[in-house]
Amino acid sequence: MENISQTILSQYANSPALCGIIDAWNQALDPATLIDQWYALVWNVKTAQGYGLDVWGRIVGVSRVLSIESVDYLGWREANDLTEEGFDQAPWYSGSDATSNYRLSDDGYRQLIYAKAFANISDGSVLSINTILTTLFAGQGDAYVRDNGDMTMTYVFSFVPTDVQVSIIQNSGVLPRPAGVGISYSIEAAS
């Protein structure tokens, strides 16, 4: 409460025991700190963490688990540089992946939530999709959709997306796709 003295009858206002009990209750039950934490960790999607992002995922309709396709494995100098990495850089190749399902970190999941939320309000136009792409991949490089003029369009990226971003782009199904239009993806990053 803001002003405790207004709630105490005047005949008890000078009682140290009663005033102490009421003051202790007021401090114990003050929800201001909890409300601030709840807002930051659950309600505000920009700062939400863990459970808060799980709530947002249910609201927009996306799961935290995505199928990730990574082709980097531990390799040797004579192997090709596209799929083999050095020690402490990639896992050993065991012949096949045990699973391709991956539980997204908070940052990856937040990006997926934004993608789905934007797609939910998109009209499917090139302008709308380009707005979504520039917002999702801000600061990484150019990302845009190109209308090929033959009922197909291409998502173009001038940077190399992370494995999580590739899964968001290709596997999650959240980027808008107008009805009857074929989709392809192109990474045109400068080497």
PDB file of all heavy atoms in Angstrom, residues 40-42 44-45 47-58 64 103-107 109-110 113:
ATOM      1  N   ALA A  40       8.794  -8.131 -17.524  1.00  0.00           N
ATOM      2  CA  ALA A  40      10.066  -8.299 -18.232  1.00  0.00           C
ATOM      3  C   ALA A  40      10.279  -9.734 -18.710  1.00  0.00           C
ATOM      4  O   ALA A  40      10.794  -9.953 -19.805  1.00  0.00           O
ATOM      5  CB  ALA A  40      11.227  -7.866 -17.348  1.00  0.00           C
ATOM      6  N   LEU A  41       9.897 -10.731 -17.914  1.00  0.00           N
ATOM      7  CA  LEU A  41      10.210 -12.123 -18.230  1.00  0.00           C
ATOM      8  C   LEU A  41       9.117 -12.867 -18.990  1.00  0.00           C
ATOM      9  O   LEU A  41       9.382 -13.920 -19.579  1.00  0.00           O
ATOM     10  CB  LEU A  41      10.539 -12.894 -16.952  1.00  0.00           C
ATOM     11  CG  LEU A  41      11.757 -12.382 -16.181  1.00  0.00           C
ATOM     12  CD1 LEU A  41      11.928 -13.161 -14.885  1.00  0.00           C
ATOM     13  CD2 LEU A  41      13.014 -12.456 -17.033  1.00  0.00           C
ATOM     14  N   VAL A  42       7.888 -12.316 -18.997  1.00  0.00           N
ATOM     15  CA  VAL A  42       6.790 -13.015 -19.665  1.00  0.00           C
ATOM     16  C   VAL A  42       6.107 -12.127 -20.708  1.00  0.00           C
ATOM     17  O   VAL A  42       6.011 -12.485 -21.874  1.00  0.00           O
ATOM     18  CB  VAL A  42       5.746 -13.535 -18.645  1.00  0.00           C
ATOM     19  CG1 VAL A  42       4.563 -14.176 -19.344  1.00  0.00           C
ATOM     20  CG2 VAL A  42       6.385 -14.510 -17.681  1.00  0.00           C
ATOM     21  N   ASN A  44       6.673  -8.954 -22.073  1.00  0.00           N
ATOM     22  CA  ASN A  44       7.427  -8.220 -23.082  1.00  0.00           C
ATOM     23  C   ASN A  44       8.230  -9.214 -23.916  1.00  0.00           C
ATOM     24  O   ASN A  44       9.226  -9.761 -23.460  1.00  0.00           O
ATOM     25  CB  ASN A  44       8.353  -7.198 -22.420  1.00  0.00           C
ATOM     26  CG  ASN A  44       9.063  -6.321 -23.418  1.00  0.00           C
ATOM     27  OD1 ASN A  44       8.979  -6.521 -24.627  1.00  0.00           O
ATOM     28  ND2 ASN A  44       9.758  -5.325 -22.908  1.00  0.00           N
ATOM     29  N   VAL A  45       7.821  -9.438 -25.160  1.00  0.00           N
ATOM     30  CA  VAL A  45       8.469 -10.448 -26.004  1.00  0.00           C
ATOM     31  C   VAL A  45       9.937 -10.104 -26.287  1.00  0.00           C
ATOM     32  O   VAL A  45      10.749 -10.998 -26.512  1.00  0.00           O
ATOM     33  CB  VAL A  45       7.679 -10.659 -27.314  1.00  0.00           C
ATOM     34  CG1 VAL A  45       7.839  -9.484 -28.245  1.00  0.00           C
ATOM     35  CG2 VAL A  45       8.088 -11.949 -27.992  1.00  0.00           C
ATOM     36  N   THR A  47      12.104  -9.039 -24.107  1.00  0.00           N
ATOM     37  CA  THR A  47      12.948  -9.413 -22.972  1.00  0.00           C
ATOM     38  C   THR A  47      12.526 -10.735 -22.327  1.00  0.00           C
ATOM     39  O   THR A  47      13.166 -11.171 -21.376  1.00  0.00           O
ATOM     40  CB  THR A  47      12.911  -8.309 -21.888  1.00  0.00           C
ATOM     41  OG1 THR A  47      11.556  -8.116 -21.456  1.00  0.00           O
ATOM     42  CG2 THR A  47      13.476  -7.005 -22.420  1.00  0.00           C
ATOM     43  N   ALA A  48      11.464 -11.350 -22.828  1.00  0.00           N
ATOM     44  CA  ALA A  48      10.965 -12.594 -22.235  1.00  0.00           C
ATOM     45  C   ALA A  48      12.021 -13.689 -22.301  1.00  0.00           C
ATOM     46  O   ALA A  48      12.862 -13.703 -23.197  1.00  0.00           O
ATOM     47  CB  ALA A  48       9.698 -13.047 -22.953  1.00  0.00           C
ATOM     48  N   GLN A  49      11.964 -14.586 -21.329  1.00  0.00           N
ATOM     49  CA  GLN A  49      12.920 -15.683 -21.258  1.00  0.00           C
ATOM     50  C   GLN A  49      12.187 -16.965 -20.896  1.00  0.00           C
ATOM     51  O   GLN A  49      11.171 -16.933 -20.216  1.00  0.00           O
ATOM     52  CB  GLN A  49      13.989 -15.413 -20.193  1.00  0.00           C
ATOM     53  CG  GLN A  49      14.825 -14.210 -20.443  1.00  0.00           C
ATOM     54  CD  GLN A  49      15.759 -13.914 -19.274  1.00  0.00           C
ATOM     55  OE1 GLN A  49      15.814 -14.659 -18.304  1.00  0.00           O
ATOM     56  NE2 GLN A  49      16.479 -12.827 -19.367  1.00  0.00           N
ATOM     57  N   GLY A  50      12.718 -18.097 -21.330  1.00  0.00           N
ATOM     58  CA  GLY A  50      12.210 -19.403 -20.916  1.00  0.00           C
ATOM     59  C   GLY A  50      10.715 -19.554 -21.024  1.00  0.00           C
ATOM     60  O   GLY A  50      10.152 -19.564 -22.120  1.00  0.00           O
ATOM     61  N   TYR A  51      10.072 -19.662 -19.877  1.00  0.00           N
ATOM     62  CA  TYR A  51       8.627 -19.881 -19.821  1.00  0.00           C
ATOM     63  C   TYR A  51       7.865 -18.775 -20.556  1.00  0.00           C
ATOM     64  O   TYR A  51       6.881 -19.053 -21.249  1.00  0.00           O
ATOM     65  CB  TYR A  51       8.158 -19.963 -18.360  1.00  0.00           C
ATOM     66  CG  TYR A  51       6.658 -19.998 -18.221  1.00  0.00           C
ATOM     67  CD1 TYR A  51       5.955 -21.166 -18.477  1.00  0.00           C
ATOM     68  CD2 TYR A  51       5.944 -18.863 -17.850  1.00  0.00           C
ATOM     69  CE1 TYR A  51       4.574 -21.205 -18.369  1.00  0.00           C
ATOM     70  CE2 TYR A  51       4.563 -18.890 -17.743  1.00  0.00           C
ATOM     71  CZ  TYR A  51       3.883 -20.054 -18.002  1.00  0.00           C
ATOM     72  OH  TYR A  51       2.521 -20.090 -17.912  1.00  0.00           O
ATOM     73  N   GLY A  52       8.316 -17.533 -20.427  1.00  0.00           N
ATOM     74  CA  GLY A  52       7.648 -16.418 -21.097  1.00  0.00           C
ATOM     75  C   GLY A  52       7.635 -16.595 -22.608  1.00  0.00           C
ATOM     76  O   GLY A  52       6.618 -16.354 -23.271  1.00  0.00           O
ATOM     77  N   LEU A  53       8.754 -17.030 -23.170  1.00  0.00           N
ATOM     78  CA  LEU A  53       8.798 -17.274 -24.611  1.00  0.00           C
ATOM     79  C   LEU A  53       7.951 -18.488 -24.991  1.00  0.00           C
ATOM     80  O   LEU A  53       7.350 -18.507 -26.075  1.00  0.00           O
ATOM     81  CB  LEU A  53      10.235 -17.461 -25.084  1.00  0.00           C
ATOM     82  CG  LEU A  53      11.061 -16.178 -25.162  1.00  0.00           C
ATOM     83  CD1 LEU A  53      12.497 -16.488 -25.509  1.00  0.00           C
ATOM     84  CD2 LEU A  53      10.477 -15.202 -26.160  1.00  0.00           C
ATOM     85  N   ASP A  54       7.884 -19.484 -24.111  1.00  0.00           N
ATOM     86  CA  ASP A  54       7.018 -20.633 -24.374  1.00  0.00           C
ATOM     87  C   ASP A  54       5.558 -20.193 -24.466  1.00  0.00           C
ATOM     88  O   ASP A  54       4.803 -20.683 -25.304  1.00  0.00           O
ATOM     89  CB  ASP A  54       7.187 -21.704 -23.300  1.00  0.00           C
ATOM     90  CG  ASP A  54       8.562 -22.367 -23.351  1.00  0.00           C
ATOM     91  OD1 ASP A  54       9.224 -22.297 -24.407  1.00  0.00           O
ATOM     92  OD2 ASP A  54       8.973 -22.939 -22.324  1.00  0.00           O
ATOM     93  N   VAL A  55       5.161 -19.251 -23.609  1.00  0.00           N
ATOM     94  CA  VAL A  55       3.801 -18.705 -23.657  1.00  0.00           C
ATOM     95  C   VAL A  55       3.584 -17.994 -24.988  1.00  0.00           C
ATOM     96  O   VAL A  55       2.572 -18.201 -25.667  1.00  0.00           O
ATOM     97  CB  VAL A  55       3.548 -17.748 -22.470  1.00  0.00           C
ATOM     98  CG1 VAL A  55       2.244 -16.986 -22.643  1.00  0.00           C
ATOM     99  CG2 VAL A  55       3.542 -18.519 -21.156  1.00  0.00           C
ATOM    100  N   TRP A  56       4.523 -17.148 -25.386  1.00  0.00           N
ATOM    101  CA  TRP A  56       4.413 -16.441 -26.668  1.00  0.00           C
ATOM    102  C   TRP A  56       4.364 -17.419 -27.832  1.00  0.00           C
ATOM    103  O   TRP A  56       3.630 -17.207 -28.807  1.00  0.00           O
ATOM    104  CB  TRP A  56       5.559 -15.447 -26.842  1.00  0.00           C
ATOM    105  CG  TRP A  56       5.296 -14.154 -26.143  1.00  0.00           C
ATOM    106  CD1 TRP A  56       5.882 -13.708 -24.996  1.00  0.00           C
ATOM    107  CD2 TRP A  56       4.366 -13.144 -26.530  1.00  0.00           C
ATOM    108  NE1 TRP A  56       5.369 -12.487 -24.652  1.00  0.00           N
ATOM    109  CE2 TRP A  56       4.440 -12.117 -25.573  1.00  0.00           C
ATOM    110  CE3 TRP A  56       3.480 -13.015 -27.580  1.00  0.00           C
ATOM    111  CZ2 TRP A  56       3.657 -10.972 -25.653  1.00  0.00           C
ATOM    112  CZ3 TRP A  56       2.700 -11.865 -27.657  1.00  0.00           C
ATOM    113  CH2 TRP A  56       2.793 -10.863 -26.703  1.00  0.00           C
ATOM    114  N   GLY A  57       5.133 -18.499 -27.762  1.00  0.00           N
ATOM    115  CA  GLY A  57       5.106 -19.505 -28.812  1.00  0.00           C
ATOM    116  C   GLY A  57       3.734 -20.138 -28.958  1.00  0.00           C
ATOM    117  O   GLY A  57       3.248 -20.364 -30.073  1.00  0.00           O
ATOM    118  N   ARG A  58       3.079 -20.427 -27.824  1.00  0.00           N
ATOM    119  CA  ARG A  58       1.729 -20.982 -27.877  1.00  0.00           C
ATOM    120  C   ARG A  58       0.751 -19.960 -28.435  1.00  0.00           C
ATOM    121  O   ARG A  58      -0.182 -20.325 -29.170  1.00  0.00           O
ATOM    122  CB  ARG A  58       1.291 -21.441 -26.490  1.00  0.00           C
ATOM    123  CG  ARG A  58       1.924 -22.760 -26.091  1.00  0.00           C
ATOM    124  CD  ARG A  58       1.300 -23.307 -24.814  1.00  0.00           C
ATOM    125  NE  ARG A  58       1.535 -22.445 -23.676  1.00  0.00           N
ATOM    126  CZ  ARG A  58       2.490 -22.621 -22.777  1.00  0.00           C
ATOM    127  NH1 ARG A  58       3.305 -23.637 -22.881  1.00  0.00           N
ATOM    128  NH2 ARG A  58       2.642 -21.786 -21.775  1.00  0.00           N
ATOM    129  N   ARG A  64       9.033 -24.693 -29.921  1.00  0.00           N
ATOM    130  CA  ARG A  64      10.437 -24.393 -29.663  1.00  0.00           C
ATOM    131  C   ARG A  64      11.355 -25.425 -30.315  1.00  0.00           C
ATOM    132  O   ARG A  64      12.540 -25.186 -30.508  1.00  0.00           O
ATOM    133  CB  ARG A  64      10.690 -24.356 -28.150  1.00  0.00           C
ATOM    134  CG  ARG A  64      12.073 -23.852 -27.785  1.00  0.00           C
ATOM    135  CD  ARG A  64      12.289 -23.882 -26.301  1.00  0.00           C
ATOM    136  NE  ARG A  64      11.757 -22.745 -25.606  1.00  0.00           N
ATOM    137  CZ  ARG A  64      12.459 -21.664 -25.258  1.00  0.00           C
ATOM    138  NH1 ARG A  64      13.716 -21.578 -25.586  1.00  0.00           N
ATOM    139  NH2 ARG A  64      11.909 -20.690 -24.598  1.00  0.00           N
ATOM    140  N   ARG A 103      16.080 -28.146 -29.780  1.00  0.00           N
ATOM    141  CA  ARG A 103      15.328 -27.213 -28.932  1.00  0.00           C
ATOM    142  C   ARG A 103      16.017 -25.869 -29.033  1.00  0.00           C
ATOM    143  O   ARG A 103      17.182 -25.722 -28.664  1.00  0.00           O
ATOM    144  CB  ARG A 103      15.338 -27.708 -27.489  1.00  0.00           C
ATOM    145  CG  ARG A 103      14.452 -26.911 -26.564  1.00  0.00           C
ATOM    146  CD  ARG A 103      14.455 -27.552 -25.193  1.00  0.00           C
ATOM    147  NE  ARG A 103      13.709 -27.100 -24.098  1.00  0.00           N
ATOM    148  CZ  ARG A 103      13.117 -25.959 -23.852  1.00  0.00           C
ATOM    149  NH1 ARG A 103      13.174 -25.025 -24.705  1.00  0.00           N
ATOM    150  NH2 ARG A 103      12.461 -25.706 -22.760  1.00  0.00           N
ATOM    151  N   LEU A 104      15.302 -24.881 -29.530  1.00  0.00           N
ATOM    152  CA  LEU A 104      15.870 -23.563 -29.776  1.00  0.00           C
ATOM    153  C   LEU A 104      16.227 -22.843 -28.482  1.00  0.00           C
ATOM    154  O   LEU A 104      15.512 -22.948 -27.482  1.00  0.00           O
ATOM    155  CB  LEU A 104      14.888 -22.696 -30.565  1.00  0.00           C
ATOM    156  CG  LEU A 104      14.586 -23.141 -31.990  1.00  0.00           C
ATOM    157  CD1 LEU A 104      13.490 -22.276 -32.593  1.00  0.00           C
ATOM    158  CD2 LEU A 104      15.834 -23.089 -32.836  1.00  0.00           C
ATOM    159  N   SER A 105      17.315 -22.089 -28.538  1.00  0.00           N
ATOM    160  CA  SER A 105      17.664 -21.207 -27.422  1.00  0.00           C
ATOM    161  C   SER A 105      16.650 -20.071 -27.394  1.00  0.00           C
ATOM    162  O   SER A 105      15.854 -19.898 -28.321  1.00  0.00           O
ATOM    163  CB  SER A 105      19.073 -20.640 -27.622  1.00  0.00           C
ATOM    164  OG  SER A 105      19.065 -19.765 -28.743  1.00  0.00           O
ATOM    165  N   ASP A 106      16.690 -19.268 -26.346  1.00  0.00           N
ATOM    166  CA  ASP A 106      15.752 -18.152 -26.247  1.00  0.00           C
ATOM    167  C   ASP A 106      15.882 -17.191 -27.420  1.00  0.00           C
ATOM    168  O   ASP A 106      14.884 -16.726 -27.956  1.00  0.00           O
ATOM    169  CB  ASP A 106      15.948 -17.402 -24.923  1.00  0.00           C
ATOM    170  CG  ASP A 106      15.333 -18.149 -23.735  1.00  0.00           C
ATOM    171  OD1 ASP A 106      14.619 -19.154 -23.951  1.00  0.00           O
ATOM    172  OD2 ASP A 106      15.566 -17.722 -22.590  1.00  0.00           O
ATOM    173  N   ASP A 107      17.106 -16.888 -27.839  1.00  0.00           N
ATOM    174  CA  ASP A 107      17.290 -15.944 -28.952  1.00  0.00           C
ATOM    175  C   ASP A 107      16.749 -16.506 -30.266  1.00  0.00           C
ATOM    176  O   ASP A 107      16.070 -15.806 -31.022  1.00  0.00           O
ATOM    177  CB  ASP A 107      18.765 -15.574 -29.101  1.00  0.00           C
ATOM    178  CG  ASP A 107      19.264 -14.720 -27.948  1.00  0.00           C
ATOM    179  OD1 ASP A 107      18.440 -14.005 -27.332  1.00  0.00           O
ATOM    180  OD2 ASP A 107      20.476 -14.760 -27.655  1.00  0.00           O
ATOM    181  N   TYR A 109      14.460 -18.860 -30.588  1.00  0.00           N
ATOM    182  CA  TYR A 109      13.007 -18.995 -30.453  1.00  0.00           C
ATOM    183  C   TYR A 109      12.330 -17.638 -30.582  1.00  0.00           C
ATOM    184  O   TYR A 109      11.269 -17.534 -31.188  1.00  0.00           O
ATOM    185  CB  TYR A 109      12.681 -19.658 -29.120  1.00  0.00           C
ATOM    186  CG  TYR A 109      11.264 -20.169 -29.002  1.00  0.00           C
ATOM    187  CD1 TYR A 109      10.620 -20.767 -30.073  1.00  0.00           C
ATOM    188  CD2 TYR A 109      10.582 -20.079 -27.805  1.00  0.00           C
ATOM    189  CE1 TYR A 109       9.324 -21.252 -29.948  1.00  0.00           C
ATOM    190  CE2 TYR A 109       9.294 -20.572 -27.663  1.00  0.00           C
ATOM    191  CZ  TYR A 109       8.672 -21.150 -28.744  1.00  0.00           C
ATOM    192  OH  TYR A 109       7.393 -21.624 -28.626  1.00  0.00           O
ATOM    193  N   ARG A 110      12.947 -16.604 -30.027  1.00  0.00           N
ATOM    194  CA  ARG A 110      12.397 -15.252 -30.155  1.00  0.00           C
ATOM    195  C   ARG A 110      12.315 -14.847 -31.627  1.00  0.00           C
ATOM    196  O   ARG A 110      11.323 -14.290 -32.081  1.00  0.00           O
ATOM    197  CB  ARG A 110      13.239 -14.248 -29.368  1.00  0.00           C
ATOM    198  CG  ARG A 110      12.702 -12.839 -29.396  1.00  0.00           C
ATOM    199  CD  ARG A 110      13.491 -11.887 -28.517  1.00  0.00           C
ATOM    200  NE  ARG A 110      13.280 -12.207 -27.110  1.00  0.00           N
ATOM    201  CZ  ARG A 110      14.197 -12.743 -26.305  1.00  0.00           C
ATOM    202  NH1 ARG A 110      15.401 -12.995 -26.743  1.00  0.00           N
ATOM    203  NH2 ARG A 110      13.918 -13.013 -25.055  1.00  0.00           N
ATOM    204  N   ILE A 113       9.438 -16.710 -33.165  1.00  0.00           N
ATOM    205  CA  ILE A 113       8.168 -16.112 -32.724  1.00  0.00           C
ATOM    206  C   ILE A 113       7.878 -14.848 -33.511  1.00  0.00           C
ATOM    207  O   ILE A 113       6.754 -14.628 -33.983  1.00  0.00           O
ATOM    208  CB  ILE A 113       8.191 -15.842 -31.204  1.00  0.00           C
ATOM    209  CG1 ILE A 113       8.124 -17.161 -30.439  1.00  0.00           C
ATOM    210  CG2 ILE A 113       7.056 -14.909 -30.792  1.00  0.00           C
ATOM    211  CD1 ILE A 113       8.405 -17.048 -28.957  1.00  0.00           C
TER     212      ILE A 113
END
